[in-house]
């Protein structure tokens, strides 16, 4: 009986997906291609700066750190840009910025000073694109379907993130100019596909049949701004735990490659990242409804505990320990990051692009702090010949985050969503901004 119900639920979700407007289905597919192309270059920017451009490794490190902060922290501007340009034009413009940045990176191989504006443009693209991408999705579906489709979107992005580095590893020995210009061409096509496939959305979803539509500017006055500030004050705890989650995640993302190279072989990194992304792809959409309804405190505490156990497993060294630790860490990531998205959007429901911009700003701050702190800690234990202790330090921080969540996170549950109705045979397109 349980298996039958589960199969019926999956069938219903599939029918909901197939009944979506063509533009939204295209965006989910394009999200995969964007992440694939992005992660063919993003993890290797430091290598390109040093090996192809000839930049000093210390300068390259600073440039990459600044680019990382721009890529995440710059998303706080996403809400303002969306308010001025709209969701579709923001995404198209952001992809054009990244295309231009990739062209300039190719030029920088011959003209090194061009690397500075090139890296900034490459980072600025996703800073604006990703908040608008997620906002387009949550604006296009009902509140009940937000968890499912944020999970599907995350799965598409993570699939691209997992496959991109593996594909790039096969091409990294090619002429860097050819590789970068080829990627620029890919992003030009992606930009054109967004322009052709997406409908301009109003800032609010269409009203239900038989009700009056809410004007897109209704929340733009002083009352709307006051409400946003009040909502953000209520979101301080979710923002805190989002920042902690990204701080701990960037220890994993930034230092797992160096650790793998020291104790095994850098090629292990490809399998580690593939496992990380594959688990998110396979688990997050399936568990989305349960993650949305779970007790907030228990979910956050449990997620940090799982992340800590994963870090402690990595301290054992060896490829099996790395893979087992990655699996535990990723399980915590699957639960935590989707719920962080949902909590922030729930608190700023009238401006999801702004909510996702705040989320990515906390990610940028967390990544910057993890890079600074982790660099010193990693160097200390490498000099001491005890790299495993690095992950024990990270595990201890995960335990501290879990304790903080136990004390401060409320036990709020999101209301259970009713069973979604099956789509009409010919669903209406999303609301078009007038």
């Amino acid at each position: 009986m349980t298996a039958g119900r589960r199969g019926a639920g999956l069938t219903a979700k599939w029918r909901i997906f197939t009944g979506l407007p063509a533009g939204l289905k295209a965006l989910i597919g394009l999200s995969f291609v964007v992440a694939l192309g992005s992660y063919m270059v993003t993890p290797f920017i430091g290598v390109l700066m040093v090996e192809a451009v000839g930049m000093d490794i210390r300068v390259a490190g600073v440039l990459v750190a600044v680019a990382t902060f721009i890529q995440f922290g710059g998303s706080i501007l996403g809400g303002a840009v969306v308010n001025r340009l709209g969701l579709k034009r923001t995404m198209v413009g952001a992809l054009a910025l990244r295309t231009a940045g990739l062209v300039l990176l190719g030029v920088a191989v011959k003209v090194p000073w061009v690397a500075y504006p090139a890296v900034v443009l490459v980072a600025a693209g996703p800073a604006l694109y990703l908040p608008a991408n997620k906002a387009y999705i949550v604006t296009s579906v009902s509140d009940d379907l937000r968890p499912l489709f944020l999970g599907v979107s995350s799965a598409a992005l993570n699939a691209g993130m997992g496959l991109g580095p593996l594909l790039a590893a096969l091409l990294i020995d090619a002429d860097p100019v050819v590789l970068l210009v080829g990627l620029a061409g890919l992003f030009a096509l992606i930009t054109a596909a967004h322009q052709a496939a997406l409908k301009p959305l109003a800032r609010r979803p269409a009203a239900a049949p038989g009700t009056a539509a809410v004007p897109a500017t209704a929340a733009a006055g002083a009352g709307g701004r006051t409400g946003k500030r009040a909502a953000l004050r209520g979101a301080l705890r979710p923002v805190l735990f989002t920042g902690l989650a990204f701080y701990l995640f960037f220890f994993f993302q930034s230092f797992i490659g160096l650790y793998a190279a020291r104790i095994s072989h850098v090629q292990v990194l490809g399998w580690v990242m593939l496992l990380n992304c594959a688990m998110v792809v396979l688990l997050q959409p399936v568990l989305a409804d349960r993650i949305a309804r779970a007790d907030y405190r228990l979910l956050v505490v449990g997620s940090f505990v799982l992340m800590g156990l994963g870090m402690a497993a990595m301290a054992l060294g060896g490829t099996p320990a790395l893979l087992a630790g990655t699996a535990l860490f990723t399980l915590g990531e699957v639960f935590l990051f989707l719920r962080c998205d949902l909590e922030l959007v729930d608190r700023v429901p009238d401006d999801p692009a702004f909510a996702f911009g705040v989320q990515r700003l906390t990610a940028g701050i967390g990544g910057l702090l993890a890079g600074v702190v982790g660099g010193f800690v990693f160097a200390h234990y490498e000099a001491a010949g005890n790299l495993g202790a690095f992950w024990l330090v990270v595990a201890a921080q995960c335990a501290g985050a879990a304790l903080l969540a136990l004390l401060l996170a409320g036990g709020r549950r999101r209301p259970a969503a009713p069973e979604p109705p099956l789509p009409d045979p010919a669903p209406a397109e999303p609301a078009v901004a007038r």
Side-chain angles (χ1 to χ4, degrees):
M1 180 67 71
T2 302
R5 288 176 181 170
R6 187 174 302 159
L10 291 174
T11 301
K13 289 178 179 178
W14 174 248
R15 292 183 66 183
I16 291 168
F17 179 79
T18 56
L20 288 175
L24 184 54
K25 287 190 286 190
L27 180 62
I28 292 172
L30 287 169
S31 297
F32 164 74
V33 185
V34 168
L36 177 73
S38 296
Y39 275 78
M40 286 181 67
V41 66
T42 298
F44 302 99
I45 283 182
V47 177
L48 289 168
M49 292 299 98
V50 175
E51 300 294 335
V53 178
M55 190 176 289
D56 181 270
I57 191 169
R58 291 164 294 187
V59 176
V62 172
L63 184 60
V64 170
V66 170
T68 301
F69 182 75
I70 291 172
Q71 179 172 338
F72 287 91
S75 292
I76 193 63
L77 301 175
V81 175
V82 166
N83 288 341
R84 180 171 292 274
L85 299 181
L87 292 168
K88 175 182 174 178
R89 286 198 288 176
T90 297
M91 284 188 279
V92 170
L95 291 167
L97 286 178
R98 171 151 276 202
T99 303
L102 289 168
V103 171
L104 290 180
L105 273 181
V107 174
V109 175
K110 304 295 183 183
V111 187
W113 67 267
V114 176
Y116 298 99
V119 171
V120 170
L121 286 175
V122 168
L128 298 177
Y129 177 83
L130 286 171
N133 175 290
K134 288 188 174 184
Y136 192 101
I137 290 170
V138 301
T139 304
S140 300
V141 299
S142 67
D143 292 351
D144 296 338
L145 293 178
R146 278 180 179 175
L148 172 63
F149 283 100
L150 280 176
V152 170
S153 170
S154 178
L157 290 168
N158 276 274
M161 289 166 58
L163 294 175
L166 289 176
L167 182 57
L170 301 176
L171 304 173
I172 197 65
D173 293 329
D175 184 339
V177 174
V178 174
L179 176 60
L180 291 167
V181 172
L183 283 172
L186 173 64
F187 270 90
L189 292 174
I190 293 170
T191 305
H194 277 71
Q195 179 63 37
L198 303 188
K199 298 286 186 181
L201 283 186
R203 288 187 59 206
R204 289 172 180 260
T211 63
V214 181
T217 57
R225 289 191 294 271
T226 302
K228 184 184 291 185
R229 286 195 294 268
L232 283 177
R233 284 195 294 271
L236 287 178
R237 289 182 184 178
V239 168
L240 168 65
F241 294 121
T242 299
L244 282 172
F246 277 108
Y247 169 72
L248 295 166
F249 172 77
F250 275 105
F251 275 98
F252 169 76
Q253 187 176 72
S254 300
F255 296 98
I256 188 65
L258 288 172
Y259 184 67
R262 299 295 189 273
I263 68 167
S264 180
H265 193 281
V266 73
Q267 289 180 347
V268 174
L269 176 63
W271 294 108
V272 166
M273 297 307 297
L274 183 62
L275 175 62
N276 174 255
C277 294
M279 286 184 64
V280 176
V281 169
L282 295 174
L283 296 179
Q284 206 166 62
V286 174
L287 299 175
D289 291 338
R290 294 184 181 182
I291 292 169
R293 295 195 302 266
D295 179 89
Y296 181 62
R297 177 189 282 122
L298 292 179
L299 182 138
V300 174
V301 171
S303 297
F304 283 133
V305 168
L306 285 169
M307 294 167 83
L309 291 173
M311 298 295 97
M314 289 184 188
L316 298 174
T319 300
L322 276 179
L323 295 174
T326 297
L328 285 169
F329 181 88
T330 304
L331 197 57
E333 177 190 342
V334 165
F335 297 141
L336 189 56
F337 284 115
L338 178 58
R339 188 58 182 266
C340 286
D341 280 352
L342 293 169
E343 291 294 318
L344 288 173
V345 173
D346 281 351
R347 285 164 170 78
V348 194
D350 294 328
D351 200 343
F354 178 76
F356 289 122
V358 170
Q359 186 233 38
R360 286 183 63 81
L361 174 62
T362 63
I365 295 171
L368 192 62
L369 290 175
V372 173
V373 174
F376 282 100
V377 175
F378 193 92
H380 169 75
Y381 285 110
E382 184 177 37
N386 185 20
L387 271 182
F390 171 81
W391 298 111
L392 294 179
V393 170
V394 183
Q397 293 181 88
C398 292
L403 179 61
L404 191 65
L406 187 63
L407 297 175
L408 296 182
R412 175 177 178 270
R413 284 181 184 269
R414 299 178 81 253
E419 284 295 320
L422 294 178
D424 294 330
E429 290 290 333
V432 178
R434 289 176 169 82

